Amino acid sequence: MTGLSRSPRILKGGLVLLDRETEAVARTIVLQYNPEMLTRSITPRGAGEDGDPLQAQRLSGPPVETITLEAILDATDGLDEADKTAAEIGVSADLAALETVLYPTSAELAAQDALASRGSIEILPAVTPLVLFVWGPKRILPVRITDLSVTEEAFDHNLNPLRARLSIGMRVLTVNDLPYASLGGGFSLVQHQLKEQMAGRARAGGVGALGAQEIFS
């Protein structure tokens, strides 16, 4: 017996947060269990008003794509492994890691308040890290989390959640949303090119299979 398994290693999905200035990885959020289903919606960007025959077949940019997935957090594994964090606060730390993606930092809020108290004319919104949704090596998408729904299902004696179901909604960012030459724009373009390459590998078909060979002959 060699102890080696022929089963392929199953990758985990998750989010990677990149610092906007240094482009270094600021945080990696790994989904504890891969969802069984991922829902995508793709809406094309038309070039003009509906009914304009000059614009009917023109596109103003990449489509608007949204992604929704369901995830589960469970402290059972951590408790079985005597993980200190799981024993003390259940899945609260993992929930906080996801939720704080949607928050400006407390330091940024304090700095904005200090500027406002000094009568600054314009206070720029806080700049968040670049969020990448990673679903395998061929799907690394810059995204903005648009909604996060949390259902806490079980609690310890201190009312820390031990199990939670999450619904995560994301909007994929493209070069319509990010500067073309930026880090996020680069990730978007790579995914665009990969999609074109995969489309080239799709099974070829003929109009005969559609019963329309006479029309196109």
Side-chain angles (χ1 to χ4, degrees), residues 15 31 33 35-39 66-73 94-95 98-99 102 133 144-153 163-171:
L15 301 172
L31 297 179
Y33 307 106
E36 295 183 359
M37 182 173 66
L38 183 151
T39 303
T66 59
I67 296 173
T68 303
L69 59 84
E70 309 291 325
I72 295 175
L73 297 177
D94 295 320
L95 284 173
L98 273 169
E99 291 175 27
L102 308 179
F133 173 58
R144 181 175 70 241
I145 296 179
T146 54
D147 58 271
L148 174 63
S149 175
V150 181
T151 302
E152 298 177 5
E153 296 184 332
R163 181 180 172 87
R165 293 182 181 272
L166 311 175
S167 176
I168 306 172
M170 296 170 282
R171 179 176 175 222

Side-chain angles (χ1 to χ4, degrees), residues 36-214:
E36 295 183 359
M37 182 173 66
L38 183 151
T39 303
R40 299 191 297 131
S41 174
I42 303 173
T43 305
R45 294 181 195 261
E49 296 290 335
D50 290 341
D52 184 349
L54 297 178
Q55 304 296 332
Q57 292 179 277
R58 295 183 182 274
L59 298 173
S60 63
V64 176
E65 180 178 358
T66 59
I67 296 173
T68 303
L69 59 84
E70 309 291 325
I72 295 175
L73 297 177
D74 195 320
T76 302
D77 291 346
L79 294 173
D80 289 343
E81 297 168 1
D83 180 81
K84 184 177 180 180
T85 299
E88 289 183 359
I89 58 175
V91 297
S92 295
D94 295 320
L95 284 173
L98 273 169
E99 291 175 27
T100 51
V101 176
L102 308 179
Y103 283 74
T105 66
S106 56
E108 288 171 330
L109 293 177
Q112 288 180 355
D113 182 69
L115 288 171
S117 65
R118 293 200 296 268
S120 295
I121 297 176
E122 182 180 7
I123 301 175
L124 295 176
V127 179
T128 62
L130 176 66
V131 181
L132 300 176
F133 173 58
V134 181
W135 193 258
K138 293 188 180 299
R139 187 150 34 168
I140 303 176
L141 303 166
V143 299
R144 181 175 70 241
I145 296 179
T146 54
D147 58 271
L148 174 63
S149 175
V150 181
T151 302
E152 298 177 5
E153 296 184 332
F155 303 89
D156 65 11
H157 61 285
N158 285 323
L159 295 184
N160 294 303
L162 297 176
R163 181 180 172 87
R165 293 182 181 272
L166 311 175
S167 176
I168 306 172
M170 296 170 282
R171 179 176 175 222
V172 178
L173 302 178
T174 69
V175 290
N176 264 48
D177 310 297
L178 302 166
Y180 189 90
S182 68
L183 179 64
F187 275 105
S188 174
L189 287 170
V190 167
Q191 291 303 305
H192 191 153
Q193 292 163 353
L194 282 173
K195 197 175 291 288
E196 290 174 336
Q197 292 170 13
M198 286 189 285
R201 299 178 61 180
R203 287 178 294 178
V207 294
L210 309 177
Q213 62 270 27
E214 293 182 1

